[in-house]
Amino acid sequence: MTDFASLLVPDRGQKVRPIHLVDKEGFAGWAKKRPAEDRALLEAQRFDGKTGFAFALLPRGGDFEVVSAVKNAAELSPWCLAKLAESLAEGTYKLADGEPGKASLGWLLGQHRFDDYRSKDDEPEQGPRVLLTGEPAKVERTVRLAEATALVRDLVNRPAAELGPAELEQAVSDAATELGARVRVTRGQELEAGYPLIAAVGGAATDARAPRLIELEWGKPGDPRVAVVGKGVCFDSGGLDLKSAAGMRLMKKDMGGAAHALALARMVIAERLPVHLHLLIPAVENAVSGAAYRPGDVIKSRKGTFVEIDNTDAEGRLILADALTAAAEGEPELIIDFATLTGAARVALGPDLPAFFASKDDLAADTLAVSDQVEDPVWRMPLWEPYQEMLKSDIADVANASNSPMAGCITAAMFLKRFVPETISWAHLDTYAWRDAAKPGRPKGGEALGLRAIFAMLQGRYSSH
């Protein structure tokens, strides 16, 4: 992984290239104060301070200064320095005025690449672009955020052939070894007996990609217990309700919820939040074989609820149901789950906004407030009780998919709600975990969406304990 800690360092008077940040309102006034030769150079480069992410270089003897356009020079966004980090020559830089603050995140992530499968023979080695900051106390936390985001991206980007349930288990085990946490893995007959929905969804895969429930625990038993659940479908063919070729193309990303959950767990532990953390990742491949579960099957869940399988491509909610049940058995005060759960959420909100469901209004309010502050947006959707009617089964307690084409992400959330006791605060994020088009600091591919918002919410709730 990229050595982010070497790219953001405290300002100790090192020799630097200054970066001047301007916006369209203030550019003219700023330019008037510059030497005439600077104004001529900016005009020659057609730099007017209005075009987002545009920048110009001003020669200074054998070196240069940078002028960059941002939306608001007084309030920097996380991504306003990302284009510079991607494009500038190697060296050390510093803002001419003020501190980078949350814009440091984009500076770091602008230099991260997932290039495990690219030949490097013909690519020139790009040296690091180092940013100085006068806020050394914020460096470590920003680096952790960048590392967590990069972890999600790298896991989601990895091909399914190289990231199955076993490899996901290894990623959790590696984190536990590094961070001093405990890991427990349930598989085989124990999984079939204790987590029948997880076992059923993963039952068609080969032995090498057999289903399992991966759990990590960390913290003191006396601290508030927080459970984090992540959907770990390492590849989703749709099962016997087979997806189309186009629908299957990106399904390596269907473990994006697990990637978010693991990244969040790593941040919680690194921050030493005073919680008793319980991470649960049901890891499966939804494959096709003679052992595949079938439409019309009825499966008794860990909770005891009988679930009729209406659609084998609605598998994520099944494995989450057993994992949520297990999480609730520990009596946590808060459960959070991440899942690439429904296409309906993308139809409703597009690729950038995770559909966010919360069982308690205070949990929703806390999360929405901090999501604005850290500029990691989520959008609250309703847990609309009348839509439970859409999940009726003629022969079982509940069907796993709606009998209506409407409100798909809501009915999926309502299915999950059945497996979380009303006494426990619960948040569910239906996230895309992917970026269809590149933006500065945010390449096309796997993406962390909602991760920073949830982490900020946990910090606000538990840092004062």
Side-chain angles (χ1 to χ4, degrees):
M1 183 175 288
T2 304
D3 181 14
F4 292 115
S6 68
L7 304 178
L8 181 66
V9 299
D11 182 3
R12 297 190 174 92
Q14 301 94 318
K15 182 180 178 181
V16 299
R17 294 168 177 148
I19 299 174
H20 304 272
L21 299 181
V22 298
D23 53 35
K24 63 181 181 181
E25 286 79 15
F27 174 67
W30 177 86
K32 281 182 181 179
K33 301 175 184 177
R34 308 302 298 176
E37 56 267 30
D38 281 3
R39 293 197 296 272
L41 282 167
L42 292 171
E43 185 175 349
Q45 296 179 61
R46 297 185 178 181
F47 181 87
D48 59 7
K50 298 179 181 179
T51 305
F53 299 112
F55 66 94
L57 303 182
L58 301 176
R60 293 290 183 264
D63 216 330
F64 60 85
E65 296 185 11
V66 182
V67 185
S68 179
V70 296
K71 184 177 181 180
N72 184 348
E75 186 176 344
L76 304 184
S77 78
W79 308 110
C80 65
L81 300 180
K83 183 66 174 179
L84 297 179
E86 294 175 356
S87 307
L88 292 174
E90 65 180 275
T92 302
Y93 298 84
K94 178 186 175 182
L95 296 192
D97 296 295
E99 295 297 336
K102 57 187 175 184
S104 301
L105 179 65
W107 181 273
L108 298 182
L109 289 171
Q111 299 183 63
H112 176 69
R113 299 288 183 274
F114 181 76
D115 57 6
D116 291 13
Y117 304 101
R118 292 186 185 276
S119 173
K120 299 176 179 63
D121 295 342
D122 298 326
E123 294 183 9
E125 188 70 23
Q126 175 68 60
R129 281 77 76 198
V130 179
L131 184 66
L132 301 189
T133 174
E135 300 174 312
K138 296 182 179 180
V139 170
E140 189 175 350
R141 181 168 292 174
T142 304
V143 168
R144 282 200 292 265
L145 286 172
E147 289 174 342
T149 303
L151 175 64
V152 174
R153 292 177 179 180
D154 288 355
L155 287 172
V156 173
N157 283 331
R158 195 160 297 281
E162 296 190 16
L163 186 71
E167 290 77 18
L168 201 49
E169 176 187 332
Q170 188 62 52
V172 177
S173 295
D174 290 346
T177 300
E178 176 188 343
L179 300 169
R182 306 172 295 282
V183 172
R184 179 173 63 254
V185 181
T186 306
R187 56 169 72 85
Q189 291 184 346
E190 187 181 358
L191 186 77
E192 293 177 9
Y195 303 90
L197 291 175
I198 300 173
V201 171
T206 62
D207 290 344
R209 301 175 72 84
R212 64 206 69 196
L213 176 66
I214 310 160
E215 298 177 81
L216 176 150
E217 288 206 38
W218 173 86
K220 300 175 183 177
D223 285 337
R225 189 174 179 90
V226 175
V228 180
V229 181
K231 174 187 169 183
V233 179
C234 296
F235 189 79
D236 182 18
S237 69
L240 292 178
D241 287 310
L242 196 67
K243 291 180 181 289
S244 66
M248 210 182 297
R249 177 61 180 87
L250 291 182
M251 284 302 101
K252 68 176 185 178
K253 80 175 186 68
D254 215 17
M255 39 59 63
H260 280 75
L262 176 58
L264 179 64
R266 289 185 65 101
M267 285 197 290
V268 166
I269 297 172
E271 188 74 11
R272 314 302 290 183
L273 288 185
V275 299
H276 185 185
L277 177 69
H278 185 195
L279 170 70
L280 303 96
I281 295 177
V284 303
E285 178 169 349
N286 190 20
V288 177
S289 77
Y293 73 124
R294 297 162 296 275
D297 283 354
V298 176
I299 304 167
K300 186 179 181 181
S301 71
R302 179 177 180 86
K303 184 180 178 181
T305 301
F306 286 94
V307 180
E308 182 180 15
I309 307 305
D310 181 73
N311 187 341
T312 63
D313 196 21
E315 84 298 329
R317 65 197 70 182
L318 296 174
I319 65 171
L320 289 172
D322 272 356
L324 288 169
T325 299
E329 290 166 1
E331 299 183 349
E333 67 175 44
L334 174 62
I335 296 176
I336 303 159
D337 79 74
F338 293 89
T340 52
L341 203 61
T342 67
R346 308 287 65 81
V347 172
L349 299 176
D352 294 347
L353 282 173
F356 169 67
F357 298 83
S359 64
K360 310 288 184 184
D361 288 341
D362 64 328
L363 174 60
D366 290 348
T367 304
L368 293 171
V370 295
S371 78
D372 286 342
Q373 293 169 16
V374 301
E375 296 187 47
D376 185 23
V378 299
W379 195 268
R380 190 181 186 187
M381 300 288 277
L383 289 165
W384 186 244
E385 198 64 35
Y387 287 171
Q388 286 284 11
E389 185 80 12
M390 296 184 186
L391 296 170
K392 273 193 171 181
S393 164
D394 292 334
I395 62 171
D397 295 320
V398 65
N400 79 317
S402 171
N403 55 19
S404 167
M406 299 181 182
C409 66
I410 300 175
T411 54
M414 295 307 297
F415 179 88
L416 297 180
K417 184 174 180 288
R418 289 172 170 262
F419 299 89
V420 180
E422 291 185 3
T423 55
I424 298 175
S425 291
W426 166 59
H428 161 58
L429 281 89
D430 189 338
T431 185
Y432 192 36
W434 191 261
R435 188 167 292 281
D436 291 316
K439 295 181 179 180
R442 293 152 288 176
K444 180 179 178 179
E447 183 62 291
L449 299 167
L451 174 67
R452 291 183 290 116
I454 294 298
F455 179 58
M457 179 273 291
L458 292 176
Q459 281 183 304
R461 286 200 159 205
Y462 297 110
S463 289
S464 60
H465 276 241

